């Protein structure tokens, strides 16, 4: 269990148009602190993929990385202090 956060990833081409059916991968730098589900997902017709990040009540931060087509970006989780 733990706190849940929904993360929307949008994949766009160089012109800013959404890209459907692109595989997006996601992972946590510290899976003992935060998990991301699913590990991979195809974008929908609007170029969006929906992931859930679950905090596990372990002190510290984790980086969640999202990657599609060789391009990646990261989201830092909040630090949990018990």
């Amino acid at each position: 269990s733990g706190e849940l956060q929904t993360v929307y990833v949008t994949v766009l081409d160089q012109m800013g148009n959404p890209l459907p059916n692109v595989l997006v991968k996601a992972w946590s730098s510290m899976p003992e602190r935060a998990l991301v589900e699913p590990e991979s997902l195809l974008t929908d017709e609007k170029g969006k993929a929906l992931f859930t990040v679950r905090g596990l009540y372990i002190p510290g931060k984790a980086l969640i990385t999202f990657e599609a087509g060789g391009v990646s970006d990261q989201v830092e989780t909040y630090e949990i202090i018990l």
Side-chain angles (χ1 to χ4, degrees):
S1 84
E3 184 176 339
L4 295 177
Q5 181 70 41
T6 300
V7 179
Y8 292 91
V9 175
T10 304
V11 180
L12 306 171
D13 66 15
Q14 293 179 351
M15 302 292 289
N17 300 308
L19 290 173
N21 300 314
V22 173
L23 182 65
V24 180
K25 297 178 184 177
W27 63 91
S28 173
S29 65
M30 301 292 288
E32 65 275 11
R33 291 186 181 147
L35 296 174
V36 59
E37 296 175 332
E39 292 180 1
S40 63
L41 188 64
L42 290 175
T43 57
D44 65 14
E45 66 279 354
K46 296 180 181 177
K48 295 186 182 297
L50 173 65
F51 293 89
T52 301
V53 177
R54 180 187 307 271
L56 299 177
Y57 297 119
I58 307 253
K61 297 180 181 181
L63 286 176
I64 307 299
T65 302
F66 299 93
E67 187 271 331
V71 177
S72 65
D73 200 359
Q74 295 179 324
V75 176
E76 186 174 51
T77 63
Y78 293 100
E79 185 168 12
I80 299 169
I81 299 173
L82 300 176

